[in-house]
Amino acid sequence: MSGRLIGVGVGPGDPELMTLKAARALAQADLVVHFAKTGATSHARTIAAGHLRPGTPELPLFYPMTSEQPRDGIVYREALREFYDGAAATLAAQLDAGRAVAVICEGDPMFYGSYMHLHVRLAPRYPTQVIAGVTGMSGCWSAAGAPIAQGDDVFMVLPATLPEPELERRLKDADAAVVMKLGRHLPKIRRTLARVGRLERAIYVERGSTAAAVMMRLADKPDDAAPYFAIVLVPGWEERA
Amino acid sequence: MSGRLIGVGVGPGDPELMTLKAARALAQADLVVHFAKTGATSHARTIAAGHLRPGTPELPLFYPMTSEQPRDGIVYREALREFYDGAAATLAAQLDAGRAVAVICEGDPMFYGSYMHLHVRLAPRYPTQVIAGVTGMSGCWSAAGAPIAQGDDVFMVLPATLPEPELERRLKDADAAVVMKLGRHLPKIRRTLARVGRLERAIYVERGSTAAAVMMRLADKPDDAAPYFAIVLVPGWEERA
């Protein structure tokens, strides 16, 4: 009898923003799997800590390289592919042994998450379940008390890595937007938002749903320092009912 | 001493996809408020039912008109504005009496939700808290086991009400997309996706996270009937690591 693969979204950071379903899956899992950078603790693991049954076996999966590597480089892509192939084989052995394997994921497993790399490799062969989670961006706009989109708004998620002209074109074309993966790209985002007339309402957020949250109008941010996971909210809904 | 306004996201439909924070807020609320169409039960109320403390006072807010009214018509907009003004005044009286007022919302309160109309009216005057929830679209792509976006994908939420040429232009410009509010617009969506070469991977979903879920490849859907709240998923991430 084969086991079951469960992608468990643990939400954006505040452990209370985990779903009841996720908490139950963690309490029942035979093995809890998490992704982390070498030498670091998994964010998902930190969020889920209070919900793991004491003694549940855990398996950390360490990414082969850091985010400083160019993501479109062939070396990086090949290393990642090998990493996910190996991780899937490791989990397959656990599934063959009949175990319930819970892969915990920050935010929502199918939305810009690493879990999906395991899912596409294992779902054709094993029973799988995906437990949706609150996304990091929902955590941010909720913490900021910022309504993001309404009615017939077109909403976009844009990576800050986009070239400046493309970013400008897309921001002009969006009613509401979230710009992700800020890091060193913040000056470009600020310039572009100013040029399209949307800097005034833009909000900068770091670690939105945690006690260490940093939130301010982007126009008020005195420097250009931003971690990779900071985001900028560009609320739509200009004309309010 | 004034009360507290709490926007509570109760998630996409499965009551277990509610967060621990939402469940706790409902258990502690002095008044639970929900939006509904006249003559119908609030979806959020149905989702939250198991988490309300017996005897907690409830206040249903009935929308003045149905979704069949043209949303851009001035009559509709004015009626809605009056409705939200009146609802905010009603809640203000409860907040003045020191009560914890929980407004329950399907999905996420700040993402295409009615709560935000109350929030913008009351947040300047009263302490507020917004509890993020799992969105309807996350519930759908998780139930479908469909990875939606990855890496540097540009992700878009598009209302099906958009004119066909605009829908086509935007779908060509998105790596991943969700088309919302299908209803009678489904034939247009199907034609447009076929024209931009993305019908093959598109997935049709109704009530994704509930027992009554309907999911299939849009290309396999034999008819053009779709409820207003059905959505189409257009997964990105064509090239998989």
Side-chain angles (χ1 to χ4, degrees):
Chain A
M1 205 194 93
S2 97
R4 200 160 43 99
L5 176 69
I6 314 153
V8 181
V10 297
D14 177 348
E16 284 235 293
L17 286 177
M18 190 184 303
T19 65
L20 302 162
K21 197 164 199 159
R24 188 165 52 85
L26 291 180
Q28 295 174 349
D30 297 315
L31 175 68
V32 171
V33 177
H34 31 82
F35 290 96
K37 290 185 189 173
T38 308
T41 306
S42 152
H43 288 218
R45 172 69 179 74
T46 304
I47 297 168
H51 294 280
L52 303 183
R53 212 175 52 246
T56 303
E58 295 184 43
L59 175 68
L61 299 171
F62 293 107
Y63 294 114
M65 298 178 197
T66 72
S67 57
E68 282 76 40
Q69 283 280 337
R71 289 193 60 118
D72 47 357
I74 190 138
V75 173
Y76 178 75
R77 294 179 76 94
E78 274 309 306
L80 263 189
R81 191 186 311 267
E82 275 176 36
F83 165 65
Y84 288 122
D85 284 348
T90 302
L91 299 200
Q94 297 288 327
L95 294 165
D96 286 335
R99 301 206 170 92
V101 176
V103 179
I104 55 177
C105 320
E106 236 184 311
D108 182 63
M110 294 304 214
F111 191 65
Y112 297 97
S114 295
Y115 165 74
M116 54 181 84
H117 294 277
L118 300 176
H119 185 89
V120 294
R121 284 167 171 81
L122 295 167
R125 290 187 283 148
Y126 299 97
T128 57
Q129 182 190 12
V130 180
I131 300 178
V134 173
T135 62
M137 61 188 196
S138 280
C140 288
W141 63 57
S142 300
I148 190 80
Q150 184 57 271
D152 284 346
D153 278 351
V154 169
F155 168 78
M156 292 188 197
V157 176
L158 303 172
T161 47
L162 289 175
E164 194 158 341
E166 186 179 347
L167 201 59
E168 177 169 343
R169 176 177 71 78
R170 290 187 183 273
L171 281 169
K172 278 182 182 162
D173 208 27
D175 296 307
V178 167
V179 185
M180 301 196 314
K181 306 185 180 180
L182 287 186
R184 64 191 171 79
H185 300 286
L186 187 58
K188 175 177 71 179
I189 305 305
R190 198 196 290 264
R191 277 196 308 272
T192 309
L193 284 167
R195 215 156 45 230
V196 303
R198 306 192 70 173
L199 182 57
E200 280 308 300
R201 297 183 68 220
I203 301 166
Y204 171 88
V205 191
E206 284 174 28
R207 299 181 292 269
S209 82
T210 71
V214 175
M215 282 177 276
M216 67 191 88
R217 289 173 67 239
L218 178 55
D220 295 338
K221 184 164 163 53
D223 58 50
D224 280 330
Y228 180 72
F229 281 108
I231 71 174
V232 166
L233 308 172
V234 186
W237 200 37
E238 298 274 353
E239 191 189 332
R240 301 183 169 192
Chain B
M1 204 194 93
S2 96
R4 201 159 44 97
L5 177 69
I6 313 153
V8 181
V10 298
D14 177 347
E16 284 235 293
L17 286 177
M18 191 183 304
T19 65
L20 301 162
K21 197 164 198 157
R24 187 166 52 86
L26 291 179
Q28 294 173 350
D30 298 315
L31 176 67
V32 170
V33 178
H34 31 82
F35 291 95
K37 290 184 188 175
T38 309
T41 305
S42 152
H43 288 218
R45 173 71 179 75
T46 304
I47 296 168
H51 295 278
L52 304 182
R53 214 176 49 246
T56 303
E58 295 184 43
L59 176 68
L61 299 171
F62 293 107
Y63 294 114
M65 299 178 196
T66 73
S67 56
E68 282 77 42
Q69 284 280 336
R71 289 194 60 119
D72 48 356
I74 191 136
V75 173
Y76 178 76
R77 293 180 75 93
E78 273 309 306
L80 262 190
R81 192 186 311 267
E82 276 176 37
F83 164 66
Y84 287 122
D85 284 347
T90 303
L91 298 201
Q94 297 288 327
L95 293 165
D96 287 334
R99 301 203 171 93
V101 176
V103 180
I104 55 177
C105 321
E106 236 184 310
D108 182 63
M110 295 305 212
F111 191 67
Y112 297 95
S114 295
Y115 165 74
M116 54 181 85
H117 294 277
L118 301 175
H119 186 88
V120 295
R121 285 166 170 80
L122 295 167
R125 291 186 283 147
Y126 299 97
T128 56
Q129 182 190 12
V130 180
I131 300 178
V134 174
T135 62
M137 61 189 194
S138 280
C140 287
W141 62 58
S142 300
I148 189 80
Q150 183 58 270
D152 284 348
D153 277 352
V154 168
F155 168 80
M156 293 189 195
V157 176
L158 303 172
T161 48
L162 289 175
E164 194 159 340
E166 187 178 346
L167 201 60
E168 177 169 341
R169 175 177 72 77
R170 290 186 183 274
L171 281 170
K172 277 182 184 162
D173 209 24
D175 296 307
V178 167
V179 185
M180 300 195 315
K181 305 183 179 182
L182 288 185
R184 63 190 172 81
H185 300 286
L186 187 57
K188 175 177 70 178
I189 305 306
R190 198 196 291 263
R191 278 197 307 272
T192 308
L193 283 168
R195 214 156 46 229
V196 302
R198 305 191 71 172
L199 182 57
E200 280 308 300
R201 297 184 67 221
I203 302 166
Y204 171 88
V205 190
E206 283 175 28
R207 300 180 291 271
S209 83
T210 71
V214 175
M215 283 177 275
M216 67 191 87
R217 291 172 68 239
L218 178 55
D220 295 338
K221 184 165 162 53
D223 58 51
D224 281 329
Y228 180 73
F229 281 109
I231 71 175
V232 167
L233 308 173
V234 186
W237 200 38
E238 298 274 355
E239 191 189 333
R240 301 184 170 191

